[in-house]
Amino acid sequence: MSNELEQRLQRVLELVGPSAPATEQARAAALSAAAGSGLRSRYRLALVAAALVGALVVTGVTLAASRTVREAVGIADPPRTHQQPPADRGPLPPGSGGFAVYGGGRLWLASPSLNVANRAYSAAELSPGAINMAVGSGHRLDVVRLSDGSIAWSHATAGRVVAAAWAPIGTEIAYVVESHGAAQLRVIEADGDHDRLIAGSVSPVKPSWRADSLALAYAGAGGQVVVLDLAAGRTTVVHSRRCVGRTAQVAFAPRGNLLSASIVNGNLLVTDPARGWVACTAATPFLGQLPPPLLAWISGRELVASVDQMVARKELRGHRIVAVAEAKARYGISGMTVSPDRRQIAVGLWRDDRLQVVVAEMPRPGDTALRIVRILRDLPNPSAAHTLIWR
Protein backbone atom coordinates (compact mmCIF):
# COMPACT_ATOMS: atom_id res chain seq x y z
CA MET A 1 0.00 0.00 0.00
CA SER A 2 1.27 3.51 -0.83
CA ASN A 3 2.69 5.85 1.80
CA GLU A 4 -0.25 8.18 1.24
CA LEU A 5 -2.80 5.47 2.03
CA GLU A 6 -0.80 4.40 5.07
CA GLN A 7 -0.89 7.97 6.37
CA ARG A 8 -4.61 8.28 5.72
CA LEU A 9 -5.26 4.96 7.46
CA GLN A 10 -3.28 6.20 10.45
CA ARG A 11 -5.50 9.31 10.63
CA VAL A 12 -8.60 7.12 10.63
CA LEU A 13 -7.13 5.04 13.46
CA GLU A 14 -6.36 8.20 15.41
CA LEU A 15 -9.95 9.39 15.04
CA VAL A 16 -11.24 6.10 16.46
CA GLY A 17 -8.69 5.84 19.24
CA PRO A 18 -8.94 2.14 20.32
CA SER A 19 -6.57 0.18 22.48
CA ALA A 20 -3.20 -0.89 21.07
CA PRO A 21 -4.05 -4.61 20.50
CA ALA A 22 -7.29 -3.70 18.75
CA THR A 23 -5.48 -1.14 16.63
CA GLU A 24 -2.89 -3.65 15.43
CA GLN A 25 -5.52 -6.25 14.59
CA ALA A 26 -7.62 -3.66 12.76
CA ARG A 27 -4.58 -2.35 10.90
CA ALA A 28 -3.71 -5.86 9.71
CA ALA A 29 -7.24 -6.45 8.42
CA ALA A 30 -7.30 -3.10 6.66
CA LEU A 31 -3.91 -3.59 5.01
CA SER A 32 -5.03 -6.99 3.80
CA ALA A 33 -8.15 -5.47 2.25
CA ALA A 34 -6.10 -2.78 0.53
CA ALA A 35 -3.64 -5.27 -0.90
CA GLY A 36 -6.44 -7.27 -2.50
CA SER A 37 -8.32 -4.31 -3.90
CA GLY A 38 -8.51 -3.88 -7.65
CA LEU A 39 -10.12 -0.45 -7.47
CA ARG A 40 -8.41 2.73 -8.45
CA SER A 41 -6.22 4.04 -5.64
CA ARG A 42 -8.46 7.04 -4.93
CA TYR A 43 -11.21 4.79 -3.56
CA ARG A 44 -9.17 2.00 -1.98
CA LEU A 45 -9.36 3.87 1.33
CA ALA A 46 -13.11 3.34 1.48
CA LEU A 47 -12.60 -0.42 1.42
CA VAL A 48 -9.69 -0.07 3.84
CA ALA A 49 -11.87 1.88 6.27
CA ALA A 50 -14.71 -0.64 5.95
CA ALA A 51 -12.29 -3.46 6.78
CA LEU A 52 -10.96 -1.37 9.66
CA VAL A 53 -14.47 -0.88 11.00
CA GLY A 54 -15.20 -4.60 10.82
CA ALA A 55 -12.01 -5.47 12.64
CA LEU A 56 -12.63 -2.90 15.36
CA VAL A 57 -16.15 -4.17 15.95
CA VAL A 58 -14.92 -7.78 16.13
CA THR A 59 -12.27 -6.82 18.67
CA GLY A 60 -14.89 -5.19 20.88
CA VAL A 61 -14.17 -1.54 20.14
CA THR A 62 -17.17 0.79 20.19
CA LEU A 63 -16.75 2.87 17.05
CA ALA A 64 -18.05 6.43 16.94
CA ALA A 65 -19.78 5.85 13.60
CA SER A 66 -22.30 3.67 15.47
CA ARG A 67 -25.17 1.91 13.70
CA THR A 68 -24.54 3.24 10.21
CA VAL A 69 -21.14 1.56 10.07
CA ARG A 70 -22.43 -1.63 11.70
CA GLU A 71 -24.94 -1.91 8.88
CA ALA A 72 -22.21 -1.26 6.29
CA VAL A 73 -20.28 -4.30 7.52
CA GLY A 74 -23.41 -6.45 7.96
CA ILE A 75 -23.69 -6.62 11.76
CA ALA A 76 -27.28 -7.08 12.89
CA ASP A 77 -28.96 -4.92 15.52
CA PRO A 78 -30.39 -6.47 18.69
CA PRO A 79 -34.10 -7.35 18.58
CA ARG A 80 -36.54 -4.52 19.15
CA THR A 81 -38.26 -4.10 22.49
CA HIS A 82 -41.59 -2.48 23.22
CA GLN A 83 -40.48 -0.64 26.34
CA GLN A 84 -42.02 2.82 26.46
CA PRO A 85 -39.43 5.62 26.91
CA PRO A 86 -40.25 8.19 29.57
CA ALA A 87 -42.00 11.35 28.39
CA ASP A 88 -39.65 14.02 29.70
CA ARG A 89 -37.60 17.04 28.66
CA GLY A 90 -33.98 17.55 27.75
CA PRO A 91 -31.95 18.99 24.86
CA LEU A 92 -30.08 15.73 24.12
CA PRO A 93 -31.82 12.34 23.85
CA PRO A 94 -30.28 9.65 26.10
CA GLY A 95 -27.39 7.78 24.49
CA SER A 96 -26.89 10.38 21.75
CA GLY A 97 -23.56 11.76 20.62
CA GLY A 98 -25.14 14.93 19.28
CA PHE A 99 -28.43 16.43 18.13
CA ALA A 100 -28.67 19.46 15.85
CA VAL A 101 -31.46 21.58 14.39
CA TYR A 102 -30.63 23.73 11.39
CA GLY A 103 -32.99 26.11 9.61
CA GLY A 104 -33.14 29.64 8.27
CA GLY A 105 -29.34 29.85 8.41
CA ARG A 106 -29.32 29.19 12.17
CA LEU A 107 -27.94 26.22 14.09
CA TRP A 108 -28.84 24.80 17.49
CA LEU A 109 -26.66 21.93 18.74
CA ALA A 110 -26.63 19.81 21.89
CA SER A 111 -23.80 17.37 22.62
CA PRO A 112 -22.13 16.03 25.80
CA SER A 113 -19.24 18.50 25.44
CA LEU A 114 -20.51 21.43 23.37
CA ASN A 115 -23.79 23.32 23.03
CA VAL A 116 -24.49 25.85 20.28
CA ALA A 117 -27.48 28.18 20.31
CA ASN A 118 -28.69 30.29 17.38
CA ARG A 119 -25.36 30.44 15.50
CA ALA A 120 -25.40 31.69 11.90
CA TYR A 121 -24.13 29.23 9.27
CA SER A 122 -25.01 28.54 5.65
CA ALA A 123 -24.96 24.73 6.17
CA ALA A 124 -24.38 22.24 8.97
CA GLU A 125 -23.66 18.50 9.28
CA LEU A 126 -22.51 16.20 12.10
CA SER A 127 -19.91 13.51 11.53
CA PRO A 128 -20.67 9.85 12.33
CA GLY A 129 -20.74 9.58 16.09
CA ALA A 130 -20.92 13.40 16.42
CA ILE A 131 -17.17 13.75 16.89
CA ASN A 132 -16.91 16.75 14.56
CA MET A 133 -19.24 19.19 12.83
CA ALA A 134 -18.92 20.55 9.29
CA VAL A 135 -20.36 24.03 8.75
CA GLY A 136 -20.55 26.57 5.98
CA SER A 137 -19.14 29.87 7.21
CA GLY A 138 -18.79 32.65 4.68
CA HIS A 139 -16.84 31.30 1.71
CA ARG A 140 -15.38 28.46 3.79
CA LEU A 141 -16.08 24.92 4.84
CA ASP A 142 -15.05 24.59 8.49
CA VAL A 143 -14.79 21.42 10.56
CA VAL A 144 -15.32 22.03 14.28
CA ARG A 145 -14.30 19.64 17.05
CA LEU A 146 -17.27 18.99 19.31
CA SER A 147 -14.95 18.15 22.19
CA ASP A 148 -14.02 21.80 22.71
CA GLY A 149 -15.45 23.89 19.82
CA SER A 150 -12.07 24.49 18.20
CA ILE A 151 -11.57 24.57 14.42
CA ALA A 152 -9.97 21.32 13.20
CA TRP A 153 -9.46 22.75 9.70
CA SER A 154 -10.87 25.32 7.30
CA HIS A 155 -11.11 25.13 3.51
CA ALA A 156 -11.70 28.17 1.28
CA THR A 157 -14.51 27.74 -1.28
CA ALA A 158 -15.61 29.61 -4.39
CA GLY A 159 -19.02 30.43 -2.89
CA ARG A 160 -21.40 29.71 -0.03
CA VAL A 161 -21.54 26.12 1.22
CA VAL A 162 -25.28 25.37 1.16
CA ALA A 163 -25.27 21.64 1.98
CA ALA A 164 -22.90 18.99 3.32
CA ALA A 165 -23.04 15.23 3.90
CA TRP A 166 -20.47 13.19 5.81
CA ALA A 167 -19.62 9.74 4.40
CA PRO A 168 -20.90 6.93 6.68
CA ILE A 169 -17.37 5.63 7.30
CA GLY A 170 -16.24 9.15 8.13
CA THR A 171 -13.45 9.55 5.60
CA GLU A 172 -14.97 12.16 3.22
CA ILE A 173 -17.42 15.06 3.11
CA ALA A 174 -19.57 15.84 0.08
CA TYR A 175 -20.69 19.46 -0.09
CA VAL A 176 -22.56 21.81 -2.41
CA VAL A 177 -21.17 25.29 -3.16
CA GLU A 178 -23.44 27.99 -4.59
CA SER A 179 -22.17 31.08 -6.41
CA HIS A 180 -23.92 33.53 -8.75
CA GLY A 181 -27.07 31.40 -8.91
CA ALA A 182 -25.24 28.18 -9.85
CA ALA A 183 -24.16 25.27 -7.67
CA GLN A 184 -21.53 22.55 -7.88
CA LEU A 185 -20.92 19.35 -5.93
CA ARG A 186 -17.50 18.68 -4.45
CA VAL A 187 -15.91 16.08 -2.17
CA ILE A 188 -13.11 16.67 0.33
CA GLU A 189 -11.37 14.23 2.63
CA ALA A 190 -12.31 14.46 6.30
CA ASP A 191 -8.88 15.85 7.22
CA GLY A 192 -9.26 18.75 4.77
CA ASP A 193 -7.09 17.30 1.96
CA HIS A 194 -7.75 16.42 -1.70
CA ASP A 195 -10.75 18.60 -2.50
CA ARG A 196 -12.17 17.72 -5.92
CA LEU A 197 -15.08 18.56 -8.21
CA ILE A 198 -17.75 15.86 -8.63
CA ALA A 199 -20.41 17.67 -10.71
CA GLY A 200 -20.15 21.17 -12.13
CA SER A 201 -23.89 21.94 -12.17
CA VAL A 202 -26.30 20.64 -9.51
CA SER A 203 -29.31 21.73 -7.46
CA PRO A 204 -28.70 23.09 -3.93
CA VAL A 205 -29.88 19.86 -2.26
CA LYS A 206 -27.98 17.91 0.39
CA PRO A 207 -26.34 14.84 -1.22
CA SER A 208 -26.52 11.35 0.28
CA TRP A 209 -23.87 8.63 0.59
CA ARG A 210 -24.54 4.93 0.14
CA ALA A 211 -23.78 2.91 3.29
CA ASP A 212 -20.45 1.64 1.91
CA SER A 213 -19.42 5.23 1.04
CA LEU A 214 -18.69 4.18 -2.56
CA ALA A 215 -21.69 5.87 -4.19
CA LEU A 216 -23.14 9.37 -3.95
CA ALA A 217 -26.66 10.53 -4.83
CA TYR A 218 -27.54 14.15 -5.57
CA ALA A 219 -30.04 16.36 -7.40
CA GLY A 220 -28.88 17.43 -10.85
CA ALA A 221 -29.21 20.96 -12.18
CA GLY A 222 -32.57 20.05 -13.75
CA GLY A 223 -33.85 18.59 -10.49
CA GLN A 224 -33.42 14.94 -11.52
CA VAL A 225 -32.01 12.25 -9.22
CA VAL A 226 -28.40 11.38 -10.12
CA VAL A 227 -26.26 8.57 -8.68
CA LEU A 228 -22.48 8.48 -9.04
CA ASP A 229 -20.73 5.17 -8.46
CA LEU A 230 -17.35 6.44 -7.29
CA ALA A 231 -15.53 3.13 -7.61
CA ALA A 232 -16.70 2.42 -11.17
CA GLY A 233 -16.77 6.07 -12.26
CA ARG A 234 -20.31 5.57 -13.61
CA THR A 235 -23.15 8.12 -13.42
CA THR A 236 -26.82 7.08 -13.55
CA VAL A 237 -29.75 9.48 -14.00
CA VAL A 238 -32.97 8.12 -12.50
CA HIS A 239 -36.07 8.50 -14.70
CA SER A 240 -39.70 8.01 -13.66
CA ARG A 241 -42.87 8.75 -15.62
CA ARG A 242 -44.93 9.16 -12.44
CA CYS A 243 -42.51 10.98 -10.15
CA VAL A 244 -42.00 14.01 -12.39
CA GLY A 245 -40.71 17.18 -10.77
CA ARG A 246 -37.71 18.64 -9.00
CA THR A 247 -35.97 16.63 -6.31
CA ALA A 248 -36.11 18.15 -2.83
CA GLN A 249 -34.29 15.40 -0.89
CA VAL A 250 -32.28 12.24 -1.59
CA ALA A 251 -31.53 9.53 0.95
CA PHE A 252 -29.79 6.17 0.64
CA ALA A 253 -31.02 3.35 2.87
CA PRO A 254 -28.75 2.51 5.84
CA ARG A 255 -27.75 -0.73 4.12
CA GLY A 256 -28.02 -2.11 0.61
CA ASN A 257 -28.56 -0.14 -2.60
CA LEU A 258 -32.03 1.37 -2.25
CA LEU A 259 -32.35 5.13 -2.67
CA SER A 260 -35.35 7.34 -1.91
CA ALA A 261 -36.13 10.82 -3.19
CA SER A 262 -38.67 13.47 -2.27
CA ILE A 263 -40.37 15.14 -5.23
CA VAL A 264 -41.82 18.65 -5.07
CA ASN A 265 -45.32 17.46 -6.12
CA GLY A 266 -45.66 15.43 -2.90
CA ASN A 267 -44.53 12.10 -4.34
CA LEU A 268 -42.06 9.61 -2.89
CA LEU A 269 -39.63 7.84 -5.22
CA VAL A 270 -37.67 4.69 -4.38
CA THR A 271 -35.15 3.16 -6.76
CA ASP A 272 -32.43 0.55 -6.98
CA PRO A 273 -29.97 2.29 -9.33
CA ALA A 274 -27.90 -0.87 -9.81
CA ARG A 275 -30.90 -2.88 -11.07
CA GLY A 276 -32.68 -0.01 -12.80
CA TRP A 277 -36.19 -0.21 -11.32
CA VAL A 278 -38.10 2.78 -9.94
CA ALA A 279 -41.22 2.88 -7.74
CA CYS A 280 -43.32 5.98 -7.11
CA THR A 281 -46.21 6.73 -4.77
CA ALA A 282 -47.89 9.58 -2.93
CA ALA A 283 -46.23 10.08 0.44
CA THR A 284 -49.62 10.48 2.19
CA PRO A 285 -53.24 9.79 1.15
CA PHE A 286 -54.02 13.51 0.77
CA LEU A 287 -55.31 14.68 -2.59
CA GLY A 288 -54.14 17.74 -4.48
CA GLN A 289 -50.82 19.53 -4.79
CA LEU A 290 -48.63 18.85 -1.78
CA PRO A 291 -45.21 20.03 -0.62
CA PRO A 292 -42.28 17.60 -0.98
CA PRO A 293 -42.35 14.96 1.77
CA LEU A 294 -39.67 14.65 4.43
CA LEU A 295 -37.95 11.25 4.26
CA ALA A 296 -35.95 9.06 6.64
CA TRP A 297 -35.01 5.39 6.38
CA ILE A 298 -35.74 2.96 9.23
CA SER A 299 -34.03 -0.09 7.71
CA GLY A 300 -32.83 -1.39 4.37
CA ARG A 301 -36.40 -1.66 3.05
CA GLU A 302 -38.54 0.52 5.34
CA LEU A 303 -38.82 4.29 5.71
CA VAL A 304 -40.99 7.08 7.07
CA ALA A 305 -42.38 10.02 5.11
CA SER A 306 -44.00 13.15 6.48
CA VAL A 307 -46.23 15.77 4.86
CA ASP A 308 -48.02 18.51 6.82
CA GLN A 309 -49.15 16.79 10.07
CA MET A 310 -48.99 13.20 8.82
CA VAL A 311 -46.18 10.66 9.32
CA ALA A 312 -46.49 7.56 7.14
CA ARG A 313 -44.48 4.39 7.54
CA LYS A 314 -43.69 2.69 4.21
CA GLU A 315 -42.23 -0.69 3.29
CA LEU A 316 -40.71 -1.95 0.03
CA ARG A 317 -42.29 -5.24 -1.02
CA GLY A 318 -40.73 -6.31 -4.24
CA HIS A 319 -40.89 -3.20 -6.40
CA ARG A 320 -43.96 -1.79 -4.63
CA ILE A 321 -44.14 0.86 -1.89
CA VAL A 322 -46.72 -0.27 0.67
CA ALA A 323 -48.19 1.83 3.50
CA VAL A 324 -47.71 0.11 6.86
CA ALA A 325 -48.95 2.72 9.34
CA GLU A 326 -49.92 6.39 9.57
CA ALA A 327 -50.07 8.76 12.51
CA LYS A 328 -51.07 12.40 12.81
CA ALA A 329 -49.20 15.03 14.82
CA ARG A 330 -51.03 17.81 16.65
CA TYR A 331 -49.21 20.47 14.62
CA GLY A 332 -47.54 20.80 11.22
CA ILE A 333 -44.17 19.08 10.90
CA SER A 334 -41.08 21.03 9.87
CA GLY A 335 -38.09 18.69 9.90
CA MET A 336 -37.77 14.97 10.64
CA THR A 337 -35.03 12.43 11.32
CA VAL A 338 -34.60 9.01 12.92
CA SER A 339 -32.66 7.98 16.01
CA PRO A 340 -29.24 6.32 15.60
CA ASP A 341 -30.80 2.94 16.48
CA ARG A 342 -33.73 3.73 14.10
CA ARG A 343 -36.37 2.92 16.71
CA GLN A 344 -37.73 6.45 17.17
CA ILE A 345 -38.16 9.61 15.15
CA ALA A 346 -37.58 13.25 15.97
CA VAL A 347 -39.78 15.92 14.41
CA GLY A 348 -40.08 19.67 14.59
CA LEU A 349 -43.67 20.77 15.29
CA TRP A 350 -44.66 24.22 14.02
CA ARG A 351 -46.55 25.95 16.85
CA ASP A 352 -47.49 29.56 16.09
CA ASP A 353 -44.16 31.40 16.05
CA ARG A 354 -42.10 28.60 17.61
CA LEU A 355 -40.70 25.21 16.66
CA GLN A 356 -41.02 22.48 19.26
CA VAL A 357 -38.57 19.62 18.65
CA VAL A 358 -39.80 16.29 20.04
CA VAL A 359 -38.99 12.58 19.99
CA ALA A 360 -41.85 10.28 19.04
CA GLU A 361 -42.49 6.58 18.60
CA MET A 362 -42.42 5.04 15.16
CA PRO A 363 -45.96 4.80 13.78
CA ARG A 364 -47.37 1.31 14.18
CA PRO A 365 -50.41 -0.35 12.58
CA GLY A 366 -53.54 0.90 14.25
CA ASP A 367 -52.03 4.21 15.37
CA THR A 368 -53.96 7.40 14.72
CA ALA A 369 -51.98 9.97 16.72
CA LEU A 370 -48.21 10.43 16.82
CA ARG A 371 -47.04 9.43 20.30
CA ILE A 372 -44.54 11.91 21.75
CA VAL A 373 -42.13 10.51 24.35
CA ARG A 374 -39.70 13.39 24.87
CA ILE A 375 -39.66 17.16 24.35
CA LEU A 376 -36.18 18.31 23.39
CA ARG A 377 -36.42 22.07 22.96
CA ASP A 378 -38.51 25.04 21.85
CA LEU A 379 -36.93 27.31 19.25
CA PRO A 380 -38.03 30.88 18.46
CA ASN A 381 -38.79 32.34 15.03
CA PRO A 382 -38.75 29.13 12.98
CA SER A 383 -38.12 29.19 9.25
CA ALA A 384 -40.29 27.31 6.76
CA ALA A 385 -38.09 24.20 6.83
CA HIS A 386 -35.59 22.64 9.20
CA THR A 387 -32.99 19.91 9.04
CA LEU A 388 -32.76 17.66 12.08
CA ILE A 389 -29.53 15.68 12.63
CA TRP A 390 -29.33 12.91 15.25
CA ARG A 391 -26.09 11.05 15.88
Side-chain angles (χ1 to χ4, degrees):
M1 188 168 64
S2 69
N3 290 335
E4 179 186 358
L5 284 177
E6 288 179 357
Q7 294 169 3
R8 293 165 68 189
L9 173 58
Q10 181 61 42
R11 288 196 291 266
V12 174
L13 288 167
E14 289 170 354
L15 286 174
V16 176
S19 62
T23 298
E24 290 307 314
Q25 185 171 344
R27 185 192 303 274
L31 292 174
S32 175
S37 172
L39 296 176
R40 292 173 298 174
S41 59
R42 178 183 297 176
Y43 298 106
R44 286 178 185 164
L45 182 63
L47 294 183
V48 170
L52 169 64
V53 168
L56 289 174
V57 173
V58 169
T59 54
V61 177
T62 302
L63 188 65
S66 185
R67 185 180 194 274
T68 304
V69 173
R70 295 202 308 274
E71 288 182 326
V73 297
I75 298 175
D77 285 324
R80 294 190 178 207
T81 65
H82 298 287
Q83 183 176 358
Q84 177 82 5
D88 56 4
R89 287 179 175 265
L92 186 64
S96 301
F99 190 98
V101 181
Y102 178 79
R106 296 284 170 172
L107 174 70
W108 291 262
L109 166 73
S111 75
S113 302
L114 181 69
N115 292 320
V116 174
N118 203 25
R119 287 287 303 275
Y121 294 113
S122 58
E125 165 72 325
L126 297 183
S127 72
I131 297 173
N132 298 309
M133 175 174 62
V135 294
S137 181
H139 284 197
R140 301 193 319 274
L141 176 67
D142 292 341
V143 167
V144 179
R145 300 183 183 93
L146 295 192
S147 58
D148 58 9
S150 63
I151 301 292
W153 54 264
S154 183
H155 176 75
T157 60
R160 294 173 62 250
V161 178
V162 296
W166 217 296
I169 60 174
T171 57
E172 293 180 298
I173 304 168
Y175 66 99
V176 178
V177 176
E178 192 173 44
S179 179
H180 304 293
Q184 60 178 221
L185 175 63
R186 307 188 69 89
V187 167
I188 190 170
E189 291 175 6
D191 57 3
D193 290 340
H194 298 90
D195 178 78
R196 61 191 183 277
L197 177 68
I198 298 297
S201 185
V202 301
S203 296
V205 173
K206 181 177 180 177
S208 177
W209 291 89
R210 198 169 64 193
D212 61 6
S213 300
L214 292 177
L216 190 61
Y218 60 95
Q224 70 276 29
V225 179
V226 183
V227 180
L228 172 61
D229 186 322
L230 292 166
R234 180 176 61 251
T235 299
T236 302
V237 179
V238 177
H239 297 283
S240 171
R241 294 182 179 179
R242 290 188 58 196
C243 279
V244 178
R246 297 189 67 87
T247 301
Q249 181 186 351
V250 290
F252 268 112
R255 60 178 178 269
N257 295 317
L258 293 185
L259 171 70
S260 64
S262 168
I263 310 300
V264 294
N265 60 6
N267 279 333
L268 161 65
L269 177 150
V270 176
T271 181
D272 185 336
R275 291 178 171 82
W277 62 264
V278 181
C280 181
T281 189
T284 66
F286 294 142
L287 298 177
Q289 190 73 15
L290 293 172
L294 305 172
L295 305 177
W297 285 91
I298 305 171
S299 69
R301 298 192 67 85
E302 198 171 6
L303 70 164
V304 285
S306 173
V307 176
D308 193 30
Q309 294 175 249
M310 298 298 298
V311 178
R313 188 168 177 172
K314 306 282 188 176
E315 182 180 334
L316 267 293
R317 296 177 183 172
H319 296 175
R320 296 186 305 118
I321 306 171
V322 178
V324 175
E326 293 175 347
K328 186 177 182 180
R330 294 183 61 187
Y331 305 96
I333 295 174
S334 173
M336 180 179 69
T337 191
V338 298
S339 61
D341 64 8
R342 304 188 187 279
R343 297 179 183 180
Q344 297 177 317
I345 60 173
V347 296
L349 301 177
W350 187 288
R351 301 184 59 180
D352 299 324
D353 61 344
R354 302 183 69 81
L355 185 80
Q356 185 175 74
V357 183
V358 302
V359 175
E361 290 188 354
M362 287 288 181
R364 294 178 294 187
D367 284 353
T368 56
L370 190 67
R371 289 181 290 208
I372 296 172
V373 297
R374 188 179 184 88
I375 299 172
L376 297 180
R377 60 178 63 195
D378 290 300
L379 302 178
N381 303 318
S383 66
H386 284 80
T387 298
L388 274 56
I389 311 168
W390 193 347
R391 299 283 189 262

